[in-house]
Amino acid sequence: MTASEADPRRWWGLVFIALAQLMVVLDATIVNIALPSAQRELHMSDANRQWVITAYTLAFGGLLLLGGRIADLVGRRRTFLAGLAGFAVASALGGAARTEWQLFGARALQGVFAAVLAPSALSLLTTTFTDPRERGKAFGVYSGIAAAGSAIGLLAGGLLTEYLDWRWCLYVNAPIAVAASLGAAWSLRNHRPQQHTRLDLPGVLLACSGLVAVVYGCSQAGPRGWGSPAVLGALSGGVLLLTVFGWWQTRAAGPLLPPRIIRDRNRAGAFLTLALSVVAMFGMFLYMTYYFQGVLGYRPVTAGLAFLPLSATIMLTSTMVSARLLHHLPPRLMIVPGALLSAVGLFLLTFLPVRASYAAHVLPSMILFGIGMSLTFVAVMDTATRGVAPADSGVASATVNTSQQVGGSIGTALLNTIATTTAAGYIGSHLRAAGAINPAVHEAIVKQGQVHGFHVGLAWASGIMLLAAATCWTLITAPAPKHRDRVPADRGASPYGARRMRAG
């Protein structure tokens, strides 16, 4: 009997794991819509306001591998509860901030605890649900939340900012964390690590420094430009540090990221496919947020509601379709069609007019994109974590989250730069050609230029999704889970030839 079959509370555990994951994911975007209000109240400069976002992403992205390894060494349930408690306190401090630096510090502290919480949540899922059918359902829920959480954050941010106050975008995390903590303490099994390995301190320094440098370089590419010495220096330094980290992991006695985690081609392919998909997804969120508010003139809450069909599509498809297909189809027969559907949805958005009908021009693309992302995320996350030994499930889960975080940072910076550069060129050339014009014509050219920039950026995002499909088809060759689980463990070294992993 597997651990998941023996534990009658496992489905309640999934509820609280999903609740914690939703809190972490939506916190990356919930403050975006609230940022203008926070900037006015705390008297932030335009140069400093981006630190509300960057402080969170730097700490979160830079410390994920460390957080995953701590979960493996200390115990996943213990780190999950500690992460929830710390995230709640940091959120309350951010909501109560009276200066911009207090808010920046609270957001960084949120990122620190999110880096502990997120890999613990995913590794708890992988070790609790080992039966293939139950695992499919569990990953359908989890992946749906991971894919839809950013859109839900935009909706929640708009509602809270407009009807309460921007501070509630942070305060709201405290009751969620308390509820998840109480539920998790009751429903989740207490994992005790079977081995006590020393933490790889050189690996920690190299990985954390390298990831922070890469995420920082990407976050600064928007305001400074990709050719800025600060951006190039951060990216080059980050890549160098991560290269040295990779070399060190092959020699360390107790590596932070054991090479066996990424040597399997299926798992490596899943990490790359996930990162590329998130690049495109974050670009779409960025463009459509600006399009709704800057071009169509939607209020913050209306802009948030405009993402609701996307979130609903992802959640419904993940739980009702993808979770059922996962057990029967090889991963790439879900991921590749999903990536192609998402690419088509993004490409259709390249025809958005300045004056659009939401139902005719936006909604069909949102639904296509949502179906595609749900197929992709469920299969990718299952492939990335399947077959990992229980002792490594925390760091494997952290690598999944790192792929998402780095992909989101690169996507936001790269696609924002493409759109703004294209728009600036369009507006400049058309204003020069028009000569002396009245304000109405000037405004029309500016809006058309913005939309043209979005068109070009969305075309790039569509191409990136096609690249994700090609990456998956080339690297991910694992059979359907029901066939993998029938192969005896001694048939090969790959974790995809192993019997079902038992919970640790």
Side-chain angles (χ1 to χ4, degrees), residues 139-158:
F139 267 83
V141 173
Y142 183 90
S143 303
I145 286 175
S150 297
I152 295 172
L154 295 170
L155 170 60

Side-chain angles (χ1 to χ4, degrees), residues 18 21 45 65 73 88 102 106 120 128 132 135 154 170 199 206 214 253 307 363 378 385 396 425 428:
Q21 177 65 15
S45 66
L65 286 178
L73 297 177
Q102 289 175 353
S120 300
T128 299
R135 183 181 171 94
L154 295 170
L170 294 163
L199 192 62
L206 288 168
V214 169
F307 284 101
L363 186 59
V378 172
T385 56

Side-chain angles (χ1 to χ4, degrees), residues 26-36 52-53 107 153 157 169-170:
L26 66 82
D27 218 69
T29 56
I30 194 172
V31 299
N32 286 20
I33 292 179
L35 188 54
V52 176
I53 309 299
R107 288 286 288 167
C169 292
L170 294 163

